[in-house]
Every structure is written in C-alpha cells, then in structure tokens.
mmCIF file of all heavy atoms in Angstrom:
data_model
loop_
_atom_site.group_PDB
_atom_site.id
_atom_site.type_symbol
_atom_site.label_atom_id
_atom_site.label_comp_id
_atom_site.label_asym_id
_atom_site.label_seq_id
_atom_site.Cartn_x
_atom_site.Cartn_y
_atom_site.Cartn_z
ATOM 1 N N THR T 1 -19.451 -0.835 -13.415
ATOM 2 C CA THR T 1 -19.114 -0.642 -12.001
ATOM 3 C C THR T 1 -18.174 -1.731 -11.505
ATOM 4 O O THR T 1 -17.160 -1.451 -10.856
ATOM 5 C CB THR T 1 -20.387 -0.634 -11.140
ATOM 6 O OG1 THR T 1 -21.258 0.397 -11.599
ATOM 7 C CG2 THR T 1 -20.044 -0.372 -9.677
ATOM 8 N N TYR T 2 -18.510 -2.987 -11.843
ATOM 9 C CA TYR T 2 -17.653 -4.101 -11.416
ATOM 10 C C TYR T 2 -16.287 -4.041 -12.086
ATOM 11 O O TYR T 2 -15.248 -4.198 -11.431
ATOM 12 C CB TYR T 2 -18.332 -5.438 -11.730
ATOM 13 C CG TYR T 2 -19.232 -5.941 -10.627
ATOM 14 C CD1 TYR T 2 -20.615 -5.946 -10.771
ATOM 15 C CD2 TYR T 2 -18.701 -6.410 -9.432
ATOM 16 C CE1 TYR T 2 -21.443 -6.405 -9.758
ATOM 17 C CE2 TYR T 2 -19.520 -6.860 -8.407
ATOM 18 C CZ TYR T 2 -20.893 -6.866 -8.578
ATOM 19 O OH TYR T 2 -21.702 -7.308 -7.566
ATOM 20 N N LEU T 3 -16.279 -3.818 -13.418
ATOM 21 C CA LEU T 3 -14.998 -3.798 -14.138
ATOM 22 C C LEU T 3 -14.109 -2.665 -13.648
ATOM 23 O O LEU T 3 -12.913 -2.857 -13.402
ATOM 24 C CB LEU T 3 -15.250 -3.664 -15.648
ATOM 25 C CG LEU T 3 -15.805 -4.906 -16.352
ATOM 26 C CD1 LEU T 3 -16.144 -4.591 -17.803
ATOM 27 C CD2 LEU T 3 -14.808 -6.051 -16.284
ATOM 28 N N THR T 4 -14.701 -1.482 -13.501
ATOM 29 C CA THR T 4 -13.929 -0.332 -13.033
ATOM 30 C C THR T 4 -13.449 -0.541 -11.606
ATOM 31 O O THR T 4 -12.268 -0.360 -11.308
ATOM 32 C CB THR T 4 -14.791 0.949 -13.099
ATOM 33 O OG1 THR T 4 -15.220 1.162 -14.443
ATOM 34 C CG2 THR T 4 -13.978 2.159 -12.634
ATOM 35 N N GLY T 5 -14.397 -0.939 -10.739
ATOM 36 C CA GLY T 5 -14.044 -1.127 -9.339
ATOM 37 C C GLY T 5 -13.057 -2.254 -9.123
ATOM 38 O O GLY T 5 -12.071 -2.109 -8.390
ATOM 39 N N VAL T 6 -13.306 -3.402 -9.795
ATOM 40 C CA VAL T 6 -12.444 -4.569 -9.593
ATOM 41 C C VAL T 6 -11.067 -4.342 -10.200
ATOM 42 O O VAL T 6 -10.040 -4.602 -9.561
ATOM 43 C CB VAL T 6 -13.098 -5.835 -10.185
ATOM 44 C CG1 VAL T 6 -12.115 -6.999 -10.188
ATOM 45 C CG2 VAL T 6 -14.341 -6.210 -9.398
ATOM 46 N N PHE T 7 -11.015 -3.853 -11.444
ATOM 47 C CA PHE T 7 -9.720 -3.696 -12.122
ATOM 48 C C PHE T 7 -8.851 -2.657 -11.427
ATOM 49 O O PHE T 7 -7.696 -2.923 -11.073
ATOM 50 C CB PHE T 7 -9.937 -3.312 -13.585
ATOM 51 C CG PHE T 7 -8.666 -3.244 -14.381
ATOM 52 C CD1 PHE T 7 -7.952 -4.393 -14.682
ATOM 53 C CD2 PHE T 7 -8.175 -2.018 -14.817
ATOM 54 C CE1 PHE T 7 -6.767 -4.329 -15.414
ATOM 55 C CE2 PHE T 7 -6.991 -1.943 -15.540
ATOM 56 C CZ PHE T 7 -6.293 -3.104 -15.844
ATOM 57 N N SER T 8 -9.419 -1.459 -11.223
ATOM 58 C CA SER T 8 -8.622 -0.417 -10.557
ATOM 59 C C SER T 8 -8.372 -0.783 -9.096
ATOM 60 O O SER T 8 -7.298 -0.507 -8.546
ATOM 61 C CB SER T 8 -9.333 0.936 -10.650
ATOM 62 O OG SER T 8 -10.606 0.893 -10.036
ATOM 63 N N GLY T 9 -9.363 -1.436 -8.466
ATOM 64 C CA GLY T 9 -9.196 -1.857 -7.073
ATOM 65 C C GLY T 9 -8.112 -2.905 -6.916
ATOM 66 O O GLY T 9 -7.354 -2.893 -5.934
ATOM 67 N N LEU T 10 -8.009 -3.822 -7.888
ATOM 68 C CA LEU T 10 -6.952 -4.834 -7.848
ATOM 69 C C LEU T 10 -5.568 -4.200 -7.965
ATOM 70 O O LEU T 10 -4.617 -4.644 -7.308
ATOM 71 C CB LEU T 10 -7.156 -5.862 -8.964
ATOM 72 C CG LEU T 10 -8.123 -7.008 -8.674
ATOM 73 C CD1 LEU T 10 -8.296 -7.889 -9.901
ATOM 74 C CD2 LEU T 10 -7.636 -7.839 -7.492
ATOM 75 N N ILE T 11 -5.463 -3.180 -8.819
ATOM 76 C CA ILE T 11 -4.183 -2.481 -8.948
ATOM 77 C C ILE T 11 -3.784 -1.871 -7.611
ATOM 78 O O ILE T 11 -2.631 -1.988 -7.172
ATOM 79 C CB ILE T 11 -4.269 -1.392 -10.039
ATOM 80 C CG1 ILE T 11 -4.501 -2.020 -11.408
ATOM 81 C CG2 ILE T 11 -2.989 -0.543 -10.047
ATOM 82 C CD1 ILE T 11 -4.738 -1.010 -12.516
ATOM 83 N N VAL T 12 -4.755 -1.241 -6.954
ATOM 84 C CA VAL T 12 -4.486 -0.643 -5.634
ATOM 85 C C VAL T 12 -4.124 -1.719 -4.618
ATOM 86 O O VAL T 12 -3.139 -1.596 -3.888
ATOM 87 C CB VAL T 12 -5.715 0.158 -5.143
ATOM 88 C CG1 VAL T 12 -5.500 0.658 -3.722
ATOM 89 C CG2 VAL T 12 -6.001 1.332 -6.073
ATOM 90 N N LEU T 13 -4.912 -2.795 -4.586
ATOM 91 C CA LEU T 13 -4.697 -3.863 -3.600
ATOM 92 C C LEU T 13 -3.345 -4.537 -3.785
ATOM 93 O O LEU T 13 -2.589 -4.718 -2.813
ATOM 94 C CB LEU T 13 -5.826 -4.891 -3.705
ATOM 95 C CG LEU T 13 -5.763 -6.079 -2.730
ATOM 96 C CD1 LEU T 13 -5.842 -5.587 -1.286
ATOM 97 C CD2 LEU T 13 -6.881 -7.079 -3.029
ATOM 98 N N ILE T 14 -3.042 -4.922 -5.022
ATOM 99 C CA ILE T 14 -1.766 -5.604 -5.297
ATOM 100 C C ILE T 14 -0.590 -4.680 -4.982
ATOM 101 O O ILE T 14 0.418 -5.108 -4.404
ATOM 102 C CB ILE T 14 -1.712 -6.084 -6.768
ATOM 103 C CG1 ILE T 14 -2.746 -7.187 -6.987
ATOM 104 C CG2 ILE T 14 -0.310 -6.588 -7.127
ATOM 105 C CD1 ILE T 14 -2.937 -7.574 -8.441
ATOM 106 N N SER T 15 -0.727 -3.407 -5.343
ATOM 107 C CA SER T 15 0.342 -2.441 -5.060
ATOM 108 C C SER T 15 0.611 -2.362 -3.566
ATOM 109 O O SER T 15 1.769 -2.391 -3.119
ATOM 110 C CB SER T 15 -0.031 -1.057 -5.599
ATOM 111 O OG SER T 15 -0.146 -1.063 -7.001
ATOM 112 N N TYR T 16 -0.459 -2.322 -2.775
ATOM 113 C CA TYR T 16 -0.279 -2.177 -1.333
ATOM 114 C C TYR T 16 0.161 -3.474 -0.660
ATOM 115 O O TYR T 16 0.773 -3.431 0.420
ATOM 116 C CB TYR T 16 -1.545 -1.613 -0.685
ATOM 117 C CG TYR T 16 -1.556 -0.106 -0.719
ATOM 118 C CD1 TYR T 16 -2.313 0.585 -1.660
ATOM 119 C CD2 TYR T 16 -0.759 0.626 0.155
ATOM 120 C CE1 TYR T 16 -2.299 1.966 -1.709
ATOM 121 C CE2 TYR T 16 -0.739 2.004 0.109
ATOM 122 C CZ TYR T 16 -1.506 2.674 -0.827
ATOM 123 O OH TYR T 16 -1.476 4.043 -0.890
ATOM 124 N N VAL T 17 -0.127 -4.615 -1.258
ATOM 125 C CA VAL T 17 0.418 -5.883 -0.742
ATOM 126 C C VAL T 17 1.934 -5.869 -0.861
ATOM 127 O O VAL T 17 2.661 -6.208 0.097
ATOM 128 C CB VAL T 17 -0.186 -7.088 -1.494
ATOM 129 C CG1 VAL T 17 0.612 -8.360 -1.173
ATOM 130 C CG2 VAL T 17 -1.642 -7.277 -1.123
ATOM 131 N N PHE T 18 2.434 -5.457 -2.022
ATOM 132 C CA PHE T 18 3.878 -5.369 -2.216
ATOM 133 C C PHE T 18 4.493 -4.275 -1.342
ATOM 134 O O PHE T 18 5.589 -4.433 -0.813
ATOM 135 C CB PHE T 18 4.206 -5.116 -3.697
ATOM 136 C CG PHE T 18 4.126 -6.342 -4.559
ATOM 137 C CD1 PHE T 18 3.038 -6.558 -5.381
ATOM 138 C CD2 PHE T 18 5.141 -7.284 -4.543
ATOM 139 C CE1 PHE T 18 2.950 -7.691 -6.172
ATOM 140 C CE2 PHE T 18 5.080 -8.427 -5.334
ATOM 141 C CZ PHE T 18 3.968 -8.635 -6.149
ATOM 142 N N ILE T 19 3.786 -3.154 -1.211
ATOM 143 C CA ILE T 19 4.274 -2.050 -0.369
ATOM 144 C C ILE T 19 4.393 -2.504 1.090
ATOM 145 O O ILE T 19 5.413 -2.262 1.748
ATOM 146 C CB ILE T 19 3.334 -0.827 -0.478
ATOM 147 C CG1 ILE T 19 3.487 -0.156 -1.842
ATOM 148 C CG2 ILE T 19 3.616 0.177 0.639
ATOM 149 C CD1 ILE T 19 2.448 0.916 -2.124
ATOM 150 N N LEU T 20 3.344 -3.171 1.583
ATOM 151 C CA LEU T 20 3.365 -3.649 2.969
ATOM 152 C C LEU T 20 4.494 -4.648 3.188
ATOM 153 O O LEU T 20 5.193 -4.602 4.218
ATOM 154 C CB LEU T 20 2.015 -4.293 3.312
ATOM 155 C CG LEU T 20 1.847 -4.787 4.754
ATOM 156 C CD1 LEU T 20 1.996 -3.637 5.747
ATOM 157 C CD2 LEU T 20 0.498 -5.470 4.926
ATOM 158 N N ASN T 21 4.693 -5.533 2.221
ATOM 159 C CA ASN T 21 5.778 -6.510 2.313
ATOM 160 C C ASN T 21 7.141 -5.828 2.358
ATOM 161 O O ASN T 21 8.020 -6.209 3.154
ATOM 162 C CB ASN T 21 5.704 -7.472 1.122
ATOM 163 C CG ASN T 21 6.735 -8.578 1.205
ATOM 164 O OD1 ASN T 21 6.868 -9.246 2.233
ATOM 165 N ND2 ASN T 21 7.479 -8.777 0.131
ATOM 166 N N ALA T 22 7.305 -4.780 1.536
ATOM 167 C CA ALA T 22 8.576 -4.049 1.516
ATOM 168 C C ALA T 22 8.790 -3.278 2.820
ATOM 169 O O ALA T 22 9.907 -3.231 3.346
ATOM 170 C CB ALA T 22 8.599 -3.094 0.328
ATOM 171 N N ILE T 23 7.731 -2.696 3.355
ATOM 172 C CA ILE T 23 7.837 -1.938 4.610
ATOM 173 C C ILE T 23 8.213 -2.856 5.777
ATOM 174 O O ILE T 23 9.036 -2.504 6.627
ATOM 175 C CB ILE T 23 6.517 -1.190 4.897
ATOM 176 C CG1 ILE T 23 6.314 -0.041 3.895
ATOM 177 C CG2 ILE T 23 6.501 -0.637 6.326
ATOM 178 C CD1 ILE T 23 4.981 0.677 4.023
ATOM 179 N N LEU T 24 7.609 -4.046 5.820
ATOM 180 C CA LEU T 24 7.889 -4.984 6.905
ATOM 181 C C LEU T 24 9.325 -5.499 6.871
ATOM 182 O O LEU T 24 9.841 -5.967 7.904
ATOM 183 C CB LEU T 24 6.907 -6.167 6.848
ATOM 184 C CG LEU T 24 5.440 -5.831 7.167
ATOM 185 C CD1 LEU T 24 4.552 -7.055 6.984
ATOM 186 C CD2 LEU T 24 5.306 -5.265 8.579
ATOM 187 N N ARG T 25 9.972 -5.399 5.707
ATOM 188 C CA ARG T 25 11.369 -5.850 5.599
ATOM 189 C C ARG T 25 12.363 -4.783 6.058
ATOM 190 O O ARG T 25 13.553 -5.061 6.195
ATOM 191 C CB ARG T 25 11.700 -6.258 4.161
ATOM 192 C CG ARG T 25 10.993 -7.535 3.703
ATOM 193 C CD ARG T 25 11.750 -8.200 2.553
ATOM 194 N NE ARG T 25 11.994 -7.276 1.462
ATOM 195 C CZ ARG T 25 11.207 -7.132 0.404
ATOM 196 N NH1 ARG T 25 10.100 -7.857 0.308
ATOM 197 N NH2 ARG T 25 11.500 -6.282 -0.555
ATOM 198 N N ILE T 26 11.860 -3.563 6.253
ATOM 199 C CA ILE T 26 12.728 -2.501 6.759
ATOM 200 C C ILE T 26 13.032 -2.765 8.230
ATOM 201 O O ILE T 26 12.127 -2.999 9.027
ATOM 202 C CB ILE T 26 12.054 -1.113 6.581
ATOM 203 C CG1 ILE T 26 11.792 -0.840 5.092
ATOM 204 C CG2 ILE T 26 12.932 -0.012 7.169
ATOM 205 C CD1 ILE T 26 11.010 0.431 4.830
ATOM 206 N N ARG T 27 14.290 -2.718 8.591
ATOM 207 C CA ARG T 27 14.693 -3.135 9.942
ATOM 208 C C ARG T 27 14.315 -2.114 11.018
ATOM 209 O O ARG T 27 13.846 -2.493 12.091
ATOM 210 C CB ARG T 27 16.211 -3.383 9.967
ATOM 211 C CG ARG T 27 16.622 -4.575 9.107
ATOM 212 C CD ARG T 27 18.114 -4.827 9.205
ATOM 213 N NE ARG T 27 18.499 -5.981 8.395
ATOM 214 C CZ ARG T 27 19.752 -6.433 8.300
ATOM 215 N NH1 ARG T 27 20.723 -5.832 8.967
ATOM 216 N NH2 ARG T 27 20.018 -7.482 7.547
ATOM 217 N N SER T 28 14.532 -0.839 10.760
ATOM 218 C CA SER T 28 14.286 0.162 11.800
ATOM 219 C C SER T 28 12.814 0.572 11.831
ATOM 220 O O SER T 28 12.161 0.680 10.792
ATOM 221 C CB SER T 28 15.155 1.399 11.571
ATOM 222 O OG SER T 28 14.744 2.089 10.414
ATOM 223 N N ALA T 29 12.327 0.792 13.053
ATOM 224 C CA ALA T 29 10.937 1.244 13.210
ATOM 225 C C ALA T 29 10.736 2.616 12.583
ATOM 226 O O ALA T 29 9.687 2.902 12.000
ATOM 227 C CB ALA T 29 10.571 1.281 14.695
ATOM 228 N N GLU T 30 11.749 3.472 12.697
ATOM 229 C CA GLU T 30 11.659 4.811 12.118
ATOM 230 C C GLU T 30 11.558 4.742 10.596
ATOM 231 O O GLU T 30 10.783 5.487 9.974
ATOM 232 C CB GLU T 30 12.888 5.628 12.525
ATOM 233 C CG GLU T 30 12.852 7.062 12.027
ATOM 234 C CD GLU T 30 14.113 7.827 12.400
ATOM 235 O OE1 GLU T 30 14.944 7.299 13.170
ATOM 236 O OE2 GLU T 30 14.259 8.966 11.899
ATOM 237 N N GLY T 31 12.325 3.832 10.001
ATOM 238 C CA GLY T 31 12.282 3.668 8.551
ATOM 239 C C GLY T 31 10.931 3.154 8.084
ATOM 240 O O GLY T 31 10.404 3.607 7.069
ATOM 241 N N ARG T 32 10.372 2.191 8.837
ATOM 242 C CA ARG T 32 9.041 1.665 8.478
ATOM 243 C C ARG T 32 7.980 2.752 8.571
ATOM 244 O O ARG T 32 7.111 2.864 7.713
ATOM 245 C CB ARG T 32 8.677 0.492 9.399
ATOM 246 C CG ARG T 32 9.455 -0.790 9.129
ATOM 247 C CD ARG T 32 8.811 -1.987 9.806
ATOM 248 N NE ARG T 32 8.819 -1.851 11.260
ATOM 249 C CZ ARG T 32 9.785 -2.295 12.043
ATOM 250 N NH1 ARG T 32 10.840 -2.907 11.505
ATOM 251 N NH2 ARG T 32 9.725 -2.162 13.350
ATOM 252 N N LEU T 33 8.071 3.563 9.629
ATOM 253 C CA LEU T 33 7.096 4.635 9.819
ATOM 254 C C LEU T 33 7.205 5.675 8.703
ATOM 255 O O LEU T 33 6.187 6.149 8.181
ATOM 256 C CB LEU T 33 7.313 5.296 11.177
ATOM 257 C CG LEU T 33 6.319 6.409 11.561
ATOM 258 C CD1 LEU T 33 4.905 5.846 11.630
ATOM 259 C CD2 LEU T 33 6.713 7.039 12.891
ATOM 260 N N ARG T 34 8.446 6.021 8.321
ATOM 261 C CA ARG T 34 8.642 7.005 7.268
ATOM 262 C C ARG T 34 8.109 6.499 5.932
ATOM 263 O O ARG T 34 7.472 7.250 5.173
ATOM 264 C CB ARG T 34 10.134 7.344 7.142
ATOM 265 C CG ARG T 34 10.396 8.546 6.227
ATOM 266 C CD ARG T 34 11.879 8.792 5.978
ATOM 267 N NE ARG T 34 12.626 8.845 7.230
ATOM 268 C CZ ARG T 34 13.546 7.949 7.585
ATOM 269 N NH1 ARG T 34 13.806 6.906 6.794
ATOM 270 N NH2 ARG T 34 14.208 8.074 8.712
ATOM 271 N N ALA T 35 8.366 5.225 5.641
ATOM 272 C CA ALA T 35 7.884 4.652 4.381
ATOM 273 C C ALA T 35 6.364 4.592 4.345
ATOM 274 O O ALA T 35 5.732 4.938 3.342
ATOM 275 C CB ALA T 35 8.472 3.255 4.198
ATOM 276 N N PHE T 36 5.764 4.162 5.462
ATOM 277 C CA PHE T 36 4.304 4.040 5.500
ATOM 278 C C PHE T 36 3.622 5.401 5.465
ATOM 279 O O PHE T 36 2.525 5.531 4.922
ATOM 280 C CB PHE T 36 3.881 3.273 6.752
ATOM 281 C CG PHE T 36 2.415 2.947 6.779
ATOM 282 C CD1 PHE T 36 1.889 1.984 5.930
ATOM 283 C CD2 PHE T 36 1.550 3.602 7.645
ATOM 284 C CE1 PHE T 36 0.533 1.689 5.943
ATOM 285 C CE2 PHE T 36 0.196 3.316 7.666
ATOM 286 C CZ PHE T 36 -0.309 2.338 6.809
ATOM 287 N N SER T 37 4.279 6.414 6.026
ATOM 288 C CA SER T 37 3.675 7.759 6.069
ATOM 289 C C SER T 37 3.487 8.343 4.681
ATOM 290 O O SER T 37 2.620 9.198 4.480
ATOM 291 C CB SER T 37 4.531 8.692 6.926
ATOM 292 O OG SER T 37 5.789 8.915 6.315
ATOM 293 N N THR T 38 4.285 7.881 3.708
ATOM 294 C CA THR T 38 4.134 8.386 2.335
ATOM 295 C C THR T 38 2.884 7.821 1.659
ATOM 296 O O THR T 38 2.484 8.302 0.597
ATOM 297 C CB THR T 38 5.367 8.037 1.481
ATOM 298 O OG1 THR T 38 5.463 6.604 1.346
ATOM 299 C CG2 THR T 38 6.644 8.567 2.112
ATOM 300 N N CYS T 39 2.286 6.785 2.268
ATOM 301 C CA CYS T 39 1.119 6.127 1.656
ATOM 302 C C CYS T 39 -0.185 6.407 2.379
ATOM 303 O O CYS T 39 -1.261 6.136 1.836
ATOM 304 C CB CYS T 39 1.328 4.607 1.634
ATOM 305 S SG CYS T 39 2.818 4.066 0.811
ATOM 306 N N THR T 40 -0.119 6.901 3.612
ATOM 307 C CA THR T 40 -1.341 7.022 4.416
ATOM 308 C C THR T 40 -2.369 7.965 3.796
ATOM 309 O O THR T 40 -3.573 7.693 3.846
ATOM 310 C CB THR T 40 -1.003 7.499 5.843
ATOM 311 O OG1 THR T 40 -0.201 8.686 5.768
ATOM 312 C CG2 THR T 40 -0.245 6.429 6.605
ATOM 313 N N SER T 41 -1.908 9.062 3.213
ATOM 314 C CA SER T 41 -2.847 10.013 2.604
ATOM 315 C C SER T 41 -3.594 9.366 1.449
ATOM 316 O O SER T 41 -4.823 9.463 1.336
ATOM 317 C CB SER T 41 -2.093 11.257 2.116
ATOM 318 O OG SER T 41 -1.488 11.934 3.177
ATOM 319 N N HIS T 42 -2.846 8.688 0.576
ATOM 320 C CA HIS T 42 -3.466 8.031 -0.569
ATOM 321 C C HIS T 42 -4.393 6.915 -0.125
ATOM 322 O O HIS T 42 -5.497 6.751 -0.654
ATOM 323 C CB HIS T 42 -2.384 7.476 -1.499
ATOM 324 C CG HIS T 42 -2.941 6.726 -2.674
ATOM 325 N ND1 HIS T 42 -2.991 5.346 -2.707
ATOM 326 C CD2 HIS T 42 -3.508 7.160 -3.828
ATOM 327 C CE1 HIS T 42 -3.543 4.963 -3.845
ATOM 328 N NE2 HIS T 42 -3.869 6.038 -4.541
ATOM 329 N N LEU T 43 -3.975 6.142 0.865
ATOM 330 C CA LEU T 43 -4.788 5.031 1.361
ATOM 331 C C LEU T 43 -6.097 5.548 1.962
ATOM 332 O O LEU T 43 -7.160 4.943 1.778
ATOM 333 C CB LEU T 43 -3.997 4.244 2.404
ATOM 334 C CG LEU T 43 -4.454 2.826 2.724
ATOM 335 C CD1 LEU T 43 -4.551 1.982 1.458
ATOM 336 C CD2 LEU T 43 -3.505 2.177 3.716
ATOM 337 N N THR T 44 -6.035 6.659 2.662
ATOM 338 C CA THR T 44 -7.247 7.273 3.224
ATOM 339 C C THR T 44 -8.198 7.723 2.121
ATOM 340 O O THR T 44 -9.411 7.463 2.179
ATOM 341 C CB THR T 44 -6.876 8.478 4.107
ATOM 342 O OG1 THR T 44 -5.968 8.068 5.129
ATOM 343 C CG2 THR T 44 -8.115 9.083 4.744
ATOM 344 N N ALA T 45 -7.660 8.383 1.098
ATOM 345 C CA ALA T 45 -8.487 8.857 -0.015
ATOM 346 C C ALA T 45 -9.123 7.697 -0.769
ATOM 347 O O ALA T 45 -10.302 7.756 -1.145
ATOM 348 C CB ALA T 45 -7.632 9.702 -0.968
ATOM 349 N N VAL T 46 -8.365 6.629 -0.987
ATOM 350 C CA VAL T 46 -8.872 5.446 -1.688
ATOM 351 C C VAL T 46 -10.011 4.798 -0.908
ATOM 352 O O VAL T 46 -11.058 4.446 -1.482
ATOM 353 C CB VAL T 46 -7.733 4.424 -1.905
ATOM 354 C CG1 VAL T 46 -8.298 3.058 -2.297
ATOM 355 C CG2 VAL T 46 -6.792 4.914 -2.990
ATOM 356 N N THR T 47 -9.830 4.645 0.388
ATOM 357 C CA THR T 47 -10.846 4.006 1.231
ATOM 358 C C THR T 47 -12.159 4.781 1.192
ATOM 359 O O THR T 47 -13.245 4.197 1.038
ATOM 360 C CB THR T 47 -10.346 3.899 2.681
ATOM 361 O OG1 THR T 47 -9.119 3.163 2.707
ATOM 362 C CG2 THR T 47 -11.376 3.193 3.551
#
C-alpha cells in the first residue's frame, strides 16, 4: 500500500508541481485557464 501509493503518488505530485509552474508562467489568463482545464478531470479522478 505504501509503495504503490507513495511511488505512484509521487509521480502524480511531481508532475503537477511542474505543470503548475508551467501554467503560472503563461502570461494570459485565458491561456492559463485553457492549460489548467486539460488537467482538472484527471486531478479530480486522482483525488
């Protein structure tokens, strides 16, 4: 449980840290919203 949860969870967490960093660097609000909208479904399912 720990190995599966921690290892796969770390992949998800690290991926979203980089994703969030990339989204925050997008200048336009519309661009940030469009980029984040591609992840919301997956983030909801993961949670």
Side-chain angles (χ1 to χ4, degrees):
T1 302
Y2 271 109
L3 287 174
T4 301
V6 171
F7 185 69
S8 60
L10 276 176
I11 295 174
V12 174
L13 180 62
I14 293 171
S15 296
Y16 273 101
V17 167
F18 281 103
I19 288 171
L20 183 60
N21 184 50
I23 290 175
L24 292 176
R25 291 203 307 266
I26 299 174
R27 294 183 179 180
S28 68
E30 183 182 352
R32 288 195 297 269
L33 183 61
R34 190 186 309 114
F36 187 72
S37 66
T38 65
C39 304
T40 52
S41 297
H42 177 260
L43 199 54
T44 304
V46 165
T47 302

